[in-house]
Amino acid sequence: MLTLYHWEPNANSGKPMLALKEKGVDFQSHYLDLLNFDQHKPDYLKINPNGTIPALVHDELMLTESTAIMEYVNDAFPGPKLMPDNPVERWRARWWMRFFDQYFGPSLSMIGWSVFVGPSVRQRDPDELKAAIDRIPLKERRIAWSKAIYNTFSPEEMDESRRRVGVGIACLEKALSERPWIAGKTYSLADINGFNLGYALPLAQPQACNDEKTPHILKWLRAIYRRPATQETWKMGRTQMASRVTYLSQ
Ligand SMILES: N[C@@H](CCC(=O)N[C@@H](CS)C(=O)NCC(=O)O)C(=O)O
């Protein structure tokens, strides 16, 4: 039995979704609507008491942490290898996954929660929202939701996130001007990681990420978007997020 609990194919949920599709592994998809707080409801807390997504259930095992889940999927199932054999390329793949998860991702996410998640729920009944925040099991997630809902990200933290996103875009453009995939010659989990984080960059950061300034990022995003596994993964989204990225099919 293999069940993936996920939201949209975006930064965290998209990683195991796309890795499973690339490997051609059959799995049950269980969609949780993050904006409806499905991830904090008792049924899901029985699966993952932390109330975060994604989570993969494989027989008796419950796995969390999207990047570690991708590595598990790559190691546990047959299908195309999603990590390079070459030690230098493996190191590069891991270097980039760490950079995405620890530096680029959290900054991009803070901006996303401020401009998308907060405004998407803010107009709901204030008492309901307070109760929803109180039900969140992890303190750090309560803080993130509270800042998004009450719009209390400080100017300093937003500025620092914008700065880091700028650094991330520049590093990625440079890397992709030197090699076709993030790790080198081989399409890998690092590309899957980066794609899920970055497919909306040209929409979210149009001045910094576009065909003129970052042609290699756009070429790379389009190449990943065209892959059959990405197309299948994309069909699993339920919001308008996916349909907004028309620039990827050009
Ligand atoms: N580092 C974890 C992060 C998991 C996480 O925080 N996911 C977000 C969704 S992108 C979440 O579950 N948010 C739910 C919440 O904050 O209520 C991973 O990579 O899986």
Side-chain angles (χ1 to χ4, degrees):
M1 189 194 87
L2 192 65
T3 306
L4 183 68
Y5 294 82
H6 63 90
W7 185 40
E8 290 295 300
N10 74 337
N12 289 327
S13 286
K15 288 189 244 171
M17 291 164 86
L18 194 40
L20 285 159
K21 290 287 183 192
E22 284 286 350
K23 296 289 278 188
V25 178
D26 264 342
F27 64 99
Q28 266 199 320
S29 145
H30 190 120
Y31 186 95
L32 295 166
D33 184 351
L34 180 126
L35 299 179
N36 193 35
F37 303 106
D38 287 354
Q39 68 280 14
H40 310 136
K41 292 185 177 157
D43 279 356
Y44 182 61
L45 296 182
K46 280 188 214 145
I47 308 283
N48 175 9
N50 282 341
T52 56
I53 36 183
L56 181 72
V57 173
H58 187 196
D59 298 329
E60 261 69 83
L61 265 181
M62 192 284 290
L63 300 106
T64 55
E65 283 302 328
S66 52
T67 297
I69 298 175
M70 287 199 298
E71 297 209 37
Y72 176 82
V73 166
N74 187 42
D75 294 338
F77 299 101
K81 280 198 252 170
L82 296 174
M83 281 296 275
D85 288 329
N86 174 296
V88 176
E89 291 202 4
R90 279 178 92 79
W91 162 77
R92 242 190 239 127
R94 293 210 168 98
W95 188 98
W96 272 97
M97 290 200 283
R98 194 155 289 215
F99 181 71
F100 287 138
D101 291 349
Q102 295 185 347
Y103 186 94
F104 202 179
S107 299
L108 208 48
S109 164
M110 184 182 291
I111 296 172
W113 278 62
S114 156
V115 302
F116 173 71
V117 175
S120 302
V121 299
R122 208 170 276 160
Q123 70 293 346
R124 295 185 202 159
D125 178 68
D127 292 336
E128 262 178 44
L129 285 175
K130 184 178 177 311
I133 294 173
D134 289 344
R135 276 194 296 270
I136 300 173
L138 292 183
K139 181 165 181 193
E140 55 268 36
R141 300 312 309 159
R142 282 202 295 281
I143 293 172
W145 271 108
S146 171
K147 286 185 172 187
I149 288 172
Y150 304 119
N151 199 14
T152 53
F153 290 106
S154 73
E156 291 76 23
E157 62 188 342
M158 290 301 291
D159 279 352
E160 177 58 10
S161 288
R162 285 189 206 102
R163 187 190 72 78
R164 289 186 185 204
V165 167
V167 172
I169 291 174
C171 287
L172 190 56
E173 176 62 16
K174 181 169 182 303
L176 292 168
S177 71
E178 290 164 3
R179 54 193 88 97
W181 301 112
I182 285 184
K185 294 195 191 87
T186 319
Y187 180 70
S188 75
L189 297 179
D191 296 289
I192 294 180
N193 192 326
F195 177 79
N196 285 295
L197 190 63
Y199 69 78
L201 274 175
L203 270 185
Q205 306 287 323
Q207 284 85 12
C209 187
N210 56 52
D211 275 304
E212 282 73 42
K213 280 200 180 151
T214 56
H216 299 93
I217 294 181
L218 269 291
K219 187 176 169 207
W220 169 77
L221 289 175
R222 289 186 180 116
I224 300 176
Y225 184 69
R226 277 196 300 271
R227 295 175 75 87
T230 313
Q231 291 298 310
E232 278 182 46
T233 306
W234 228 251
K235 290 187 196 132
M236 296 167 73
R238 297 188 186 176
T239 69
Q240 291 174 344
M241 268 181 218
S243 58
R244 287 167 67 224
V245 293
T246 44
Y247 50 85
L248 292 183
S249 35
Q250 286 159 15

